[in-house]
Amino acid sequence: MASNFVAKGADTYDSYMGRWSRKLAPLFIDFAGLADGERVLEIGCGTGSLTFALPARANIAAIEAIDYEAQFVEAARERNDDPRIKFEQGDACSLQYADGQFDRALSMLVLHFVPDADRAVAEMRRVVRPGGVAAATVWDNFGGQPGIRMFWDTLAAVEPQADSRRSAFLIRPTNRAHELARAFGKAGFADVTETALSIRMEFANFDDYWIPLLAGQGTHAAYLQSLPEATRQRIVTAVQSAYLAGQPDGPRSFVSVAWAARGTVPCT
Ligand SMILES: C[S@@+](CC[C@H](N)C(=O)[O-])C[C@H]1O[C@@H](n2cnc3c(N)ncnc32)[C@H](O)[C@@H]1O
């Protein structure tokens, strides 16, 4: 298996996560850097949240954007009208590019879904030229996402059988402090730096929070839908109570933190 991501269509992705990855993209570009004239590789582009933000920031020469999911590649192609951007299906662990072809390789919210993240980081290093830069970011699912953690903790309290699913969501390759930087160091990058990027996930009301979660990508949506109606109802009621916290339904805002690491390919 080359991807642990469960995809359920581009529109479903955008309402569940794309709306937040679009907010994260400019912060990630600030950290990763970008310059006019560069050839950029984006790994795990999904529906294009980062891809389409890149030409808005610099007059890039070309972007090759790959994703494992054909349905996302197709949706991104349909949205694209920039001849410098090419979307292709591809695997982060086995890039179809020759060594040193790119000035910059970027990957946003992907490596925690890749079964062999070390290999994916090594591939980023291989395809970036000496002196070029690679950067990646992943959500801090364990400690940096109170709004999503609220869902998992409530679910596991109401339905103890969900405990192992919560663990699988919270603890994934590269998603804890220093793991990304360690992977970059191991792959031979120089000048490795790590930081935390944060956005806020803003919801208009409980339905805006809950419906995309229920319909969304990921094994949790299929799991919820497989539960008996009465159990699911108890879960909805408990999660709603956590969302409302005794106040009328309406907007809520939760911080969401991502780890990010960047490194330079050594010149010798
Ligand atoms: C959470 S989405 C992030 C998508 C996009 N970068 C964004 O920020 O909206 C994770 C993406 O990683 C892709 N992915 C997972 N494993 C992959 C692999 N081995 N090679 C390429 N893409 C992969 C998935 O198909 C999915 O599009």
Side-chain angles (χ1 to χ4, degrees):
M1 180 194 283
S3 171
N4 290 323
F5 186 78
V6 178
K8 277 180 69 181
D11 291 342
T12 307
Y13 177 77
D14 281 339
S15 63
Y16 172 60
M17 187 51 68
R19 57 178 167 165
W20 311 126
S21 60
R22 276 195 294 277
K23 281 182 86 170
L24 184 65
L27 279 66
F28 181 48
I29 298 171
D30 287 345
F31 173 72
L34 192 67
D36 291 350
E38 287 190 343
R39 275 179 55 76
V40 180
L41 173 65
E42 187 195 344
I43 296 142
C45 58
T47 56
S49 293
L50 175 62
T51 329
F52 294 123
L54 294 168
R57 186 62 73 87
N59 187 16
I60 44 86
I63 303 173
E64 300 272 344
I66 65 149
D67 198 278
Y68 194 75
E69 288 291 336
Q71 56 189 307
F72 288 167
V73 171
E74 199 47 49
R77 274 185 190 147
E78 277 169 20
R79 293 172 190 179
N80 182 35
D81 58 7
D82 186 331
R84 296 170 300 174
I85 304 177
K86 261 177 55 191
F87 290 100
E88 297 291 343
Q89 203 174 359
D91 182 355
C93 294
S94 178
L95 296 174
Q96 64 263 46
Y97 304 101
D99 297 358
Q101 273 196 30
F102 295 96
D103 301 298
R104 210 168 289 267
L106 305 174
S107 184
M108 185 169 87
L109 307 182
V110 177
L111 292 180
H112 46 348
F113 292 110
V114 174
D116 189 347
D118 282 348
R119 185 158 160 206
V121 177
E123 279 289 86
M124 290 171 90
R125 184 192 184 288
R126 181 181 69 73
V127 300
V128 172
R129 65 166 171 80
V133 168
T137 184
V138 299
W139 290 126
D140 174 7
N141 302 111
F142 189 92
Q145 293 198 303
I148 296 181
R149 178 120 200 194
M150 181 175 83
F151 160 73
W152 283 103
D153 288 345
T154 308
L155 173 62
V158 174
E159 181 59 48
Q161 282 178 4
D163 195 54
S164 57
R165 289 171 187 273
R166 175 176 60 176
S167 302
F169 173 80
L170 295 177
I171 298 159
R172 303 197 234 181
T174 71
N175 80 342
R176 283 175 291 172
H178 313 310
E179 286 184 347
L180 263 186
R182 215 172 291 136
F184 272 61
K186 190 171 162 192
F189 284 99
D191 303 325
V192 175
T193 54
E194 184 179 89
T195 193
L197 308 173
S198 47
I199 62 157
R200 295 202 70 97
M201 294 182 167
E202 317 270 2
F203 300 96
N205 50 39
F206 179 67
D207 279 356
D208 188 33
Y209 168 86
W210 177 252
I211 291 171
L213 253 179
L214 188 62
Q217 324 285 313
T219 51
H220 66 278
Y223 174 68
L224 280 175
Q225 282 154 11
S226 75
L227 292 172
E229 176 57 27
T231 310
R232 196 162 64 228
Q233 204 45 57
R234 277 193 298 143
I235 292 165
V236 180
T237 304
V239 175
Q240 186 173 32
S241 168
Y243 179 92
L244 298 178
Q247 300 298 306
D249 196 6
R252 300 289 189 274
S253 171
F254 301 93
V255 73
S256 193
V257 180
W259 297 116
R262 179 187 64 207
T264 304
V265 176
C267 286
T268 51

